[in-house]
Amino acid sequence: MRETTPSVRPRHAAGASSRGDGLFRGVILALALAIVVVFVLALYQLVAGSLPSIERYGFAFLFRTTWNNVTSEFGALPFIIGTLVTSFAALLIAVPLAIASAVFVTEYAPRWLAEPVGYLVELLAAIPSVIYGLWALFVLKPLVVQLGTWIFYQPWIVQNPSLKWLVPSNLAGLGLLTAILILAIMVIPYTASVARDVIRLVPQDQREAMYALGATKWEVIRSAILPFARAGIFGGVILSLGRALGETLAVTMVIGNDPKIVSGLFNPTATMSSIIASEFNEAVNNLQRSSLIEIGLLLFVISVIVNYVARLVIARITVGGTS
Amino acid sequence: MNPILRARQVNIYYGDKRAVRDIDLDIAPNTVNALIGPSGCGKTTFLRALNRMHDLTPGARVEGTITLDGEDIYGDVDPVSIRRRIGMVFQKPNPFPTMTVLDNVVAGLKLAGIRDRGTLLEVAERSLRQAALWDEVKDRLNTPATGLSGGQQQRLCIARALSVEPEILLMDEPTSALDPQSTARIEDLMSDLKKDVTIIIVTHNMHQAARVSDTTSFFLIGDLVEHGPTDQIFTNPRDERTESYVTGRFG
């Protein structure tokens, strides 16, 4: 009985669309899996490339402070410190500026000013890092040299043992401070644009609730808007941190690339990415190449850990979340 | 009795559009006053003029005079100081979600620079008792305010507004987002509160106006059609438009 009736039903169409669905599902699944495969392969390559160095140094590699091409002694600590110090110091400078710019654009600036300012801040993210590097060499470096020179002639600093870290070891202007400053500028747009968006999303009734209690505009921003937006802003900070941890070229151009634990604010050092960029092509032997790859692996691991911790923090501070 | 709040020839504009026309209204102290009328009649617009909330709306403009204890609130005064004296409760409960119950209640005191923990706790208890919430939250003062039910959150917002001891409390449809039980609790609360504070409540619900208020003002399309004792407005209105509305013929 059933075979006699279905001639009018759009059987072909149904069959085709379910075949199409299956195909689409397959393609999507393959693409999604490809991402996982790329991730795993990258990790595998890093681990495989690091094996000689891992076999040689083991865990101690993380804490070894020597990096010497001549004696073939390698250790990652100067670069781990360099990366962490430059990144977090850059955040310390960038985050207040970024939040201030977001607050200005959303709460203070008139519309005709807010849009171009917001757009320009975002445009900062589109500038290639080599341009930042050049700008740092031409503009920041001379300023850092001036500041370093000035400090050099301040006896109260130079002769004070507890301010030794402020005294430049040389006046080339290439070192930690220049790297921190250029990184700070580079990471501003990530926090700023995310903060701007989340501040715009703070419900009007939150602002009004605070105003109605007799708050000034600044108090509304501090006590109602920023707390409400804090999880989103923190997400933006993490984007900035990710950028700072991985930024290579601009930092390599200005940090001095001295593979030693940083000895002062003005002194040259290196970061994990800058040492890879500056030495990988000229690596003199297998162990050095492998050590550089292991530093890459560590950078990978640090980035993953930072992101994971960030997710935990965001989940905790999200408004209406399970706090 | 001298009115605590007096509005004379108040006109409110959004850009070129006049939303409220020539309002004259006197509010006596320690009374509950309802503003009723159909949607878009200007009652909320008028209410928000009373604590200068329109200052925050670009393009909104208030003309005429509104005096609080004889002082022109649009005169040479800081709107911040006016809002400390005229508190507000909003349509949807809006506790600060990142703060605890206690921090919500004392948020206004902290703005006023009061930091002493003993004082804060004392005021918090007083305000929460006034808002009939103390017994329900006294053991969870340090938990997030978002953990409370909707009705509790709205009473928390009332306590928050009361903590700075305002002379007038504006309520903008405070029960419209609540269930009947929570609504009843807040209505009961109002008659208790009026010994401390003068209440002006916008409500969409005529029965609520009839239950809680001493005077009622009926707004229609930006005009204040009729103002008088609530009994009279609901039983013997002078204007036939008022009568049509309170008998449910439109709105």
Side-chain angles (χ1 to χ4, degrees):
Chain A
M1 285 298 275
R2 264 200 276 164
E3 283 94 307
T4 58
T5 46
S7 58
V8 289
R9 288 171 59 194
R11 221 187 193 184
H12 299 290
S17 84
S18 82
R19 250 199 318 278
D21 267 358
L23 187 67
F24 185 67
R25 246 180 68 158
V27 170
I28 290 292
L29 183 67
L31 289 173
L33 282 179
I35 294 170
V36 179
V37 169
V38 166
F39 184 89
V40 171
L41 278 181
L43 193 60
Y44 168 79
Q45 278 296 327
L46 284 171
V47 173
S50 313
L51 277 180
S53 142
I54 292 173
E55 277 161 14
R56 172 75 189 273
Y57 298 116
F59 257 115
F61 186 68
L62 269 76
F63 308 106
R64 289 172 56 88
T65 58
T66 332
W67 184 273
N68 191 323
N69 304 342
V70 182
T71 60
S72 270
E73 289 286 319
F74 301 106
L77 192 62
F79 317 112
I80 295 176
I81 290 175
T83 289
L84 293 179
V85 168
T86 50
S87 298
F88 283 97
L91 279 189
L92 277 183
I93 299 171
V95 168
L97 288 172
I99 293 177
S101 105
V103 167
F104 172 75
V105 165
T106 52
E107 302 294 321
Y108 286 96
R111 214 187 155 76
W112 61 266
L113 187 60
E115 298 215 349
V117 168
Y119 181 68
L120 282 176
V121 169
E122 266 172 38
L123 210 60
L124 285 176
I127 299 174
S129 38
V130 65
I131 307 291
Y132 277 107
L134 284 176
W135 183 82
L137 286 177
F138 289 128
V139 180
L140 278 182
K141 191 183 84 165
L143 294 175
V144 171
V145 170
Q146 272 182 21
L147 182 62
T149 313
W150 180 82
I151 286 175
F152 221 72
Y153 289 104
Q154 305 305 311
W156 61 276
I157 297 178
V158 178
Q159 286 159 18
N160 186 339
S162 66
L163 291 178
K164 201 168 167 292
W165 57 277
L166 256 180
V167 182
S169 64
N170 67 68
L171 290 175
L174 296 177
L176 187 67
L177 180 62
T178 320
I180 289 171
L181 291 176
I182 195 63
L183 265 184
I185 297 171
M186 293 177 79
V187 303
I188 282 175
Y190 301 91
T191 301
S193 74
V194 173
R196 203 185 53 190
D197 291 346
V198 296
I199 287 174
R200 286 217 173 109
L201 288 177
V202 173
Q204 190 60 22
D205 68 5
Q206 287 288 314
R207 298 158 204 257
E208 290 184 346
M210 200 51 100
Y211 274 118
L213 288 172
T216 61
K217 181 161 194 167
W218 161 241
E219 287 166 336
V220 170
I221 291 168
R222 196 195 57 195
S223 311
I225 295 177
L226 292 181
F228 195 95
R230 66 188 182 187
I233 293 174
F234 188 77
V237 172
I238 293 308
L239 285 181
S240 287
L241 179 59
R243 176 82 207 261
L245 288 172
E247 173 50 37
T248 309
L249 192 58
V251 172
T252 308
M253 289 167 81
V254 299
I255 201 167
N257 296 310
D258 188 3
K260 289 196 190 79
I261 290 181
V262 64
S263 54
L265 188 59
F266 289 85
N267 301 349
T269 180
T271 66
M272 300 169 86
S273 51
S274 84
I275 195 70
I276 298 173
S278 59
E279 293 201 354
F280 195 78
N281 283 334
E282 286 97 40
V284 291
N285 60 39
N286 228 2
L287 184 61
Q288 185 185 4
R289 199 171 299 120
S290 168
S291 297
L292 287 167
I293 295 174
E294 190 177 350
I295 288 174
L297 176 64
L298 292 172
L299 185 57
F300 187 94
V301 170
I302 288 177
S303 303
V304 169
I305 291 174
V306 163
N307 268 294
Y308 181 70
V309 171
R311 272 162 190 267
L312 292 184
V313 174
I314 288 173
R316 263 197 72 86
I317 65 177
T318 297
V319 163
T322 54
S323 49
Chain B
M1 211 181 319
N2 275 334
I4 183 170
L5 191 87
R6 175 182 293 234
R8 285 294 175 269
Q9 291 297 300
V10 171
N11 284 278
I12 304 167
Y13 300 82
Y14 291 117
D16 295 333
K17 188 177 158 279
R18 183 153 68 161
V20 164
R21 262 191 299 269
D22 298 333
I23 306 291
D24 289 330
L25 185 65
D26 285 350
I27 300 290
N30 302 101
T31 54
V32 176
N33 304 270
L35 312 181
I36 62 169
S39 300
C41 67
K43 55 193 191 297
T44 294
T45 300
F46 178 69
L47 187 80
R48 292 166 65 87
L50 301 180
N51 66 341
R52 297 195 59 170
M53 271 296 170
H54 290 302
D55 291 18
L56 311 174
T57 319
R61 196 166 87 252
V62 178
E63 287 177 359
T65 52
I66 300 172
T67 57
L68 172 65
D69 301 324
E71 181 190 6
D72 184 358
I73 67 167
Y74 283 88
D76 187 22
V77 287
D78 186 353
V80 168
S81 71
I82 295 299
R83 295 191 196 114
R84 291 210 171 134
R85 295 165 66 190
I86 306 183
M88 191 165 194
V89 175
F90 297 82
Q91 205 167 346
K92 267 181 13 197
N94 56 357
F96 301 121
T98 58
M99 295 185 193
T100 63
V101 171
L102 179 66
D103 287 339
N104 261 280
V105 181
V106 299
L109 294 174
K110 285 189 174 166
L111 291 175
I114 296 166
R115 288 277 175 275
D116 175 64
R117 199 166 161 79
T119 313
L120 292 178
L121 277 169
E122 196 178 300
V123 176
E125 177 171 349
R126 191 206 70 214
S127 311
L128 286 167
R129 282 188 192 281
Q130 277 182 298
L133 189 60
W134 174 252
D135 290 332
E136 291 160 59
V137 300
K138 64 182 179 212
D139 300 321
R140 49 201 286 204
L141 290 175
N142 293 313
T143 62
T146 44
L148 303 181
S149 73
Q152 288 173 327
Q153 287 187 14
Q154 191 63 307
R155 276 179 284 146
L156 179 64
C157 293
I158 293 173
R160 182 175 69 187
L162 291 172
S163 69
V164 291
E165 298 185 50
E167 295 164 55
I168 296 179
L169 186 62
L170 308 176
M171 303 177 108
D172 183 6
E173 301 192 35
T175 61
S176 63
L178 304 181
D179 61 84
Q181 216 178 350
S182 307
T183 301
R185 297 205 64 158
I186 288 179
E187 288 181 3
D188 289 345
L189 192 58
M190 281 185 237
S191 50
D192 297 337
L193 284 177
K194 72 179 175 185
K195 65 179 191 299
D196 302 314
V197 63
T198 307
I199 295 177
I200 304 174
I201 176 175
V202 162
T203 176
H204 213 77
N205 175 340
M206 279 182 289
H207 303 295
Q208 182 168 64
R211 282 191 299 265
V212 302
S213 69
D214 302 306
T215 76
T216 296
S217 310
F218 172 59
F219 283 71
L220 189 63
I221 336 175
D223 288 314
L224 174 54
V225 174
E226 189 168 351
H227 168 75
T230 298
D231 287 347
Q232 183 229 311
I233 295 283
F234 280 92
T235 56
N236 189 19
R238 278 186 299 252
D239 194 294
E240 65 184 73
R241 289 171 293 174
T242 314
E243 185 176 4
S244 308
Y245 184 72
V246 299
T247 54
R249 247 172 280 162
F250 71 93

